Amino acid sequence: MSKNMTGKQKKSLARILLTALLLIVLQFVPVTGTGQMALYLVPYLLIAYDILGKAVRGIRNGQVFDENFLMAVASIGAFLLAVYDQSGDCLEAVAVVLFYQVGELFESYAVGRSRRNISELMDIRPDYANIERGGELVRIAPDEVEIGSVIVVQPGEKIPLDGIVLEGSSMLNSVALTGESQPREVTAGQEVISGCINMTGVLHIKTTKEFEESTVSKILELVEEASSHKSKSEAFIAKFARVYTPLVCYSALALAILPPLINRFALGMAMEWHVWIYRALLFLVISCPCALVISVPLSFFAGIGGASREGILIKGSNYLETLAKVKYVVFDKTGTLTHGVFAVSDVHHNTLERERLLEYAALAECASSHPISRSLQAACGKKIDRSRVSEIQEISGHGIMARVDGSQVAVGNEKLMAKQGISAIPCRSGGTIIHVAIDGSYAGHIVIADVIKVQSAEAVAELRSAGVRKLVMLTGDGSQAAQQVAEKLRLDEVHSELLPSDKVAQVERLLAEKPEQEKLAFVGDGINDAPVLTRADVGIAMGAMGSDAAIEAADVVLMDDNPRQVAKAVRLARRCMGIVYQNIALALGIKFICLALGAVGIANMWLAIFADVGVLVIAVLNAIRALQVQNV
């Protein structure tokens, strides 16, 4: 433990140990009365000098009612009671401050530990970029690299800026960005993002963004700004402490003064000032709101940090609190539930083998760079031998005619088939339908569609098990393709052929329909999703490959474009809020019980110490559980 402590924490630990040692020694010193009290002043001043100093400064600055004031009054009051009783035993006076300092040290260490965990996991800021000059590599600051520059990243180095690989291949470790421990391979022509660690080969990368706009900078900015967005729970605790602390101070003063006066003038009994002052001091120690004021923000801090370890960046505790209440999830389709790339999904009514039909279609389309042509060539799975193709003729708005291995091949839509006098068989599947005819005879059709991500079905199931009541998909795609995706994923609603303004209108409708306490999340990745991301109760952007506008507009950013992360984000938020509510209930419940016991004379100073320091330690331990997210 001491290895991970700061110098200030080590100094505090030394004071605590020395004070404890002095208290033990004083139990065996045969001195009583004034001499004993004078000896107790030594460990008291050793452990309490900073608390007394802060209390005095608080009074001087008009900020009286804080934990330092409570501890100062309670401990000094205990000393004065020892003087009144002429006992000289000031063990309780020193002990209350000693255990308070133990709690403060524990809290400081826990916060520092959680901060270190986050900073280590988010230690992605690059220190330099390599530029090749005169045959040598020169290190310069990443923010000095201009767009379009070529940087060199060697094995073991962080990629300092976003860009495209010009030369080389390597395996990249992106665990700090996405939470994904499996390295991924990159080769020439592929995009790479800053913050990844180059593991194997040398990469030459042409930069596409300045450092301030790069992925690593945006991530760091999101994490740094998260603490500035406070949740309603945190705001409540801050307001509660401002009212609660003065209230208990005045209550303690009333407890010390009113009962003796009532005893004397109403009941004709002894005033017993020392009894009621002692109870008032217990009241002050018990009432210290440290457990509440410290553990609730710490819970949110740990929850946001734990989520960032999994590649889920939450911009503030207010968004985390909202995320925990999500019951409606609205998805964009392309790039969110689907990959956003064309691929052959099926072949129907083929009169020859599937592989041969795909091969003929790919060869006929070999001269085109259209995405549909590329998807046909990818589905063929063979190297395209263009020597087998001749007489290629592209018919605008219809398709392509070509001679393949001596046969006349027509590849295109129904218009092309009709133009050739060939009866095309219609298809009910969603997507783009490519009809193929060979030597004037219909050979079948190929369905090309946007491919559903393999994790999408699991994401839907996990969201339902997490208590989400309604799942909706909004898309600008055609109704047939949209309906097919919705049916496969078993979504509750689907709305297609929408403009960005139409998506906003649909979200507005859902917001009006749902109960006020239930929240709606929208998940998207494109620049056209920015308006609806902003309008939803909580906007979730697929950040790794998403647009800058979507990331800027969103409240939560998923770094690896895995829709299952949406369900994980909801579960993490609910777990964190559960910890927050546990700490609030624990702190208030124990304190109110102990306050009642202290007021009627059942509690003593040791129970008061538990109600303050013991509850603080338990609450802090509970709060840092929010960092543990692996099995959530």
Side-chain angles (χ1 to χ4, degrees), residues 53-251:
K54 290 176 184 176
V56 170
R57 286 193 294 273
I59 294 170
R60 191 182 300 155
N61 296 329
Q63 298 174 340
V64 179
F65 300 110
D66 63 8
E67 62 271 19
N68 295 299
F69 176 77
L70 297 181
M71 288 297 108
V73 170
S75 58
I76 292 171
F79 262 104
L80 294 176
L81 282 177
V83 173
Y84 178 83
D85 291 338
Q86 297 182 349
S87 65
D89 187 0
C90 301
L91 176 62
E92 288 185 347
V94 182
V96 69
V97 183
L98 173 64
F99 283 103
Y100 174 76
Q101 293 283 31
V102 170
E104 287 288 289
L105 175 63
F106 189 87
E107 178 264 331
S108 174
Y109 179 78
V111 172
R113 178 171 172 264
S114 62
R115 286 185 183 276
R116 281 194 303 275
N117 284 347
I118 294 168
S119 62
E120 286 169 6
L121 288 160
M122 299 303 293
D123 183 22
I124 54 177
R125 187 186 297 275
D127 300 317
Y128 59 87
N130 296 318
I131 300 287
E132 193 167 0
R133 293 175 181 168
E136 294 183 357
L137 291 182
V138 179
R139 291 185 176 183
I140 64 172
D143 55 5
E144 295 179 8
V145 179
E146 297 179 354
I147 295 176
S149 302
V150 177
I151 59 174
V152 180
V153 184
Q154 301 178 99
E157 293 182 334
K158 296 178 189 132
I159 295 177
L161 298 110
D162 296 4
I164 298 173
V165 178
L166 295 181
E167 182 183 332
S169 62
S170 182
M171 302 296 290
L172 299 185
N173 180 348
S174 60
V175 66
L177 294 174
T178 66
E180 176 57 55
S181 58
Q182 187 70 29
R184 66 183 185 92
E185 185 178 7
V186 294
T187 56
Q190 291 184 297
E191 291 186 6
V192 291
I193 56 176
S194 52
C196 296
I197 298 174
N198 182 21
M199 297 176 65
T200 53
V202 177
L203 296 176
H204 289 72
I205 300 169
K206 183 178 181 180
T207 61
T208 55
K209 293 180 181 178
E210 294 180 346
F211 180 70
E212 289 76 12
E213 297 299 319
S214 65
T215 300
V216 66
S217 290
K218 287 187 176 294
I219 292 172
L220 292 168
E221 184 180 334
L222 292 181
V223 174
E224 288 163 3
E225 290 181 354
S227 60
S228 64
H229 299 279
K230 301 296 183 184
S231 68
K232 290 182 179 178
S233 297
E234 282 184 286
F236 163 75
I237 294 301
K239 292 177 183 177
F240 175 83
R242 284 198 293 269
V243 175
Y244 169 83
T245 307
L247 179 63
V248 296
C249 287
Y250 292 129
S251 299

Side-chain angles (χ1 to χ4, degrees), residues 341-358:
V341 293
F342 286 109
V344 171
S345 62
D346 221 333
V347 174
H348 297 155
H349 303 291
N350 44 309
T351 59
L352 64 164
E353 292 180 355
R354 172 191 172 105
E355 290 75 14
R356 189 161 179 79
L357 181 70
L358 289 171

Side-chain angles (χ1 to χ4, degrees), residues 225-235 300-301 304 314-326 519 537-538 555-556 573 576-577:
E225 290 181 354
S227 60
S228 64
H229 299 279
K230 301 296 183 184
S231 68
K232 290 182 179 178
S233 297
E234 282 184 286
F300 281 112
F301 181 78
I304 291 171
I314 302 172
K315 293 185 179 181
S317 56
N318 55 333
Y319 304 121
L320 187 145
E321 190 172 33
T322 303
L323 193 60
K325 300 175 183 177
V326 165
K519 301 302 179 182
D537 291 321
V538 58
D555 308 311
V556 179
C576 182
M577 290 308 302

